[in-house]
Amino acid sequence: MKSLLRVFALATIAVASALFSLSASAATTLRIATWLAPTHPMNAEVLPTWAQWVEEATEGRVEVKLEYDLGHPRSYFDLVEDGVADAGWSLHAYVPGRFVLTELSEMPMTDATAEGTSVAYWRINEQYLAKAGEHEGITLLGLFTEGAAALQLRRPVETLDDLKGLKIRAPGGIASQIGHELGVTNVSAPAPKVYELLQQGVVDGVMISPMTQKSLRLNEVINQMISVPGGVFRGSFSFFAGEDFLDGLSARDRNAILSVSGEKFSAMAGKVWEQANIDGFAVASESGVTYTEADQATPIYQTMDRITSEVRSDWVKKATSRGVDGQKVLDEYLALATGYTSETSE
């Protein structure tokens, strides 16, 4: 009798184990194509936070995995659309021509936090920009910006004339337009290449956010940072998933993922990137990198103020040509971004 009971107990354990294994193996893996170092705030904080939200919202039925180095980040839109990865994120300026309306969030001299610009960006896109179809083929999970960017230089300059002819890495979009107006020679390169370009003297400087003083170790190769209130521009990013991947999920899990995305993700990402700017400033200060935010009496401020007016006017015209009331949208975006506080996001 004891022998039969023992056999029955072992059989019960085996069945339970098999059911547990079956349940565990049933979890769907959502593969996010990502870039930059694992220690970068996007990979160390933003995506892991969202992954936790997803796993909790789906009660463990969907788990998230980061996959690195799948190519130039400009290719990530196609990689996700083609199903090579289930989700990804990238900088809009890396794909010139496809993304025009997204330049709204790149505007210089937008005196707001990255959380504020990111939330405003998401809301304005949902209300006005999405209908233009610039993200066709993928499903947006979030839109966000970096903190106010600066002009970072290997060697200090004293006047605007000192900038003319310098080789400055710009990601494209509004940044390249500003570089042209400043008289510099724009050099296109993805962020992961910036340190190497500076170290080897291929470029004299970069237009990028101060967070890179820490996240890309630019404090080792930069001597001076110059900016204006609201920044010389802001990088515009999107986080997105493949439509086929989402369609392959149950309605319950698809809705759960979307419930922790959108504005919720955008606000979180912007907040993390804003803090990363603060951390970057601290590293720059400790490393002896000088930082100057030009005031209204300075030529750099006055020049950037003029350029900002031109950039905004140009965007309004481009938006209008795509069926969007450009001036109305620009005004609403700036009001939302500059008036935003975390409390208003609730």
Side-chain angles (χ1 to χ4, degrees):
M1 185 65 176
K2 287 183 179 180
S3 178
L4 287 174
L5 288 174
R6 184 171 182 274
V7 170
F8 178 76
L10 289 173
T12 301
I13 292 172
V15 170
S17 178
L19 289 174
F20 177 82
S21 297
L22 181 62
S23 174
S25 65
T28 299
T29 300
L30 190 164
R31 299 163 299 125
I32 300 178
T34 189
W35 44 289
L36 295 172
T39 55
H40 188 279
M42 190 67 181
N43 296 318
E45 189 169 353
V46 174
L47 294 176
T49 296
W50 184 77
Q52 182 178 352
W53 291 350
V54 166
E55 291 175 19
E56 290 174 353
T58 62
E59 299 176 326
R61 292 184 298 276
V62 178
E63 58 185 17
V64 177
K65 178 183 178 183
L66 303 187
E67 295 191 351
Y68 289 87
D69 303 324
L70 297 184
H72 192 296
R74 67 170 169 250
S75 69
Y76 282 26
F77 297 101
D78 292 333
L79 288 179
V80 170
E81 187 173 358
D82 294 341
V84 177
D86 303 317
W89 67 286
S90 192
L91 183 77
H92 291 111
Y94 287 155
V95 191
R98 175 174 180 177
F99 299 108
V100 174
L101 297 178
T102 58
E103 291 180 356
L104 172 68
S105 66
E106 300 176 19
M107 293 298 168
M109 302 185 81
T110 303
D111 199 5
T113 65
E115 183 179 359
T117 52
S118 299
V119 170
Y121 190 10
W122 178 262
R123 292 178 184 176
I124 290 295
N125 182 75
E126 287 289 280
Q127 188 170 0
Y128 299 111
L129 308 184
K131 64 182 181 181
E134 290 187 345
H135 293 93
E136 186 177 0
I138 52 179
T139 297
L140 280 180
L141 299 176
L143 291 167
F144 61 100
T145 79
E146 63 185 347
L151 183 60
Q152 303 192 36
L153 301 164
R154 293 177 66 233
R155 296 185 179 85
V157 300
E158 296 181 3
T159 69
L160 277 171
D161 286 340
D162 295 335
L163 288 175
K164 296 187 184 303
L166 293 184
K167 293 174 291 182
I168 304 296
R169 177 268 181 185
I174 295 296
S176 294
Q177 187 175 348
I178 291 168
H180 175 75
E181 292 294 328
L182 290 174
V184 306
T185 300
N186 290 316
V187 176
S188 177
K193 295 291 186 181
V194 165
Y195 183 97
E196 179 183 344
L197 293 175
L198 287 163
Q199 186 182 48
Q200 295 178 355
V202 175
V203 296
D204 301 300
V206 295
M207 276 192 277
I208 202 165
S209 64
M211 70 180 288
T212 56
Q213 286 286 303
K214 179 179 180 180
S215 63
L216 297 182
R217 305 190 343 265
L218 296 195
N219 64 305
E220 299 174 5
V221 287
I222 288 294
N223 287 298
Q224 182 186 37
M225 291 195 292
I226 303 172
S227 194
V228 290
V232 295
F233 89 104
R234 290 171 186 263
S236 165
F237 299 88
S238 61
F239 177 45
F240 44 88
E243 294 179 350
D244 287 344
F245 173 81
L246 291 175
D247 288 344
L249 299 173
S250 67
R252 181 184 182 187
D253 286 342
R254 178 191 173 94
N255 291 336
I257 290 172
L258 295 180
S259 75
V260 295
S261 303
E263 184 172 322
K264 180 181 176 72
F265 175 90
S266 302
M268 180 268 290
K271 188 172 185 177
V272 170
W273 283 60
E274 183 68 26
Q275 181 60 49
N277 247 17
I278 295 171
D279 296 341
F281 276 121
V283 168
S285 178
E286 293 168 1
S287 304
V289 176
T290 61
Y291 173 75
T292 302
E293 184 173 90
D295 60 36
Q296 294 183 15
T298 62
I300 182 66
Y301 182 98
Q302 294 163 7
T303 298
M304 280 300 304
D305 189 47
R306 172 184 61 78
I307 293 173
T308 296
S309 295
E310 293 174 358
V311 165
R312 291 178 179 178
S313 178
D314 288 345
W315 185 86
V316 167
K317 293 175 184 176
K318 288 185 284 188
T320 302
S321 72
R322 294 204 170 195
V324 173
D325 187 338
Q327 191 61 57
K328 177 184 178 181
V329 169
L330 174 63
D331 291 343
E332 286 192 27
Y333 168 75
L334 294 174
L336 280 171
T338 57
Y340 176 88
T341 63
S342 293
E343 288 73 22
T344 64
S345 68
E346 297 302 325

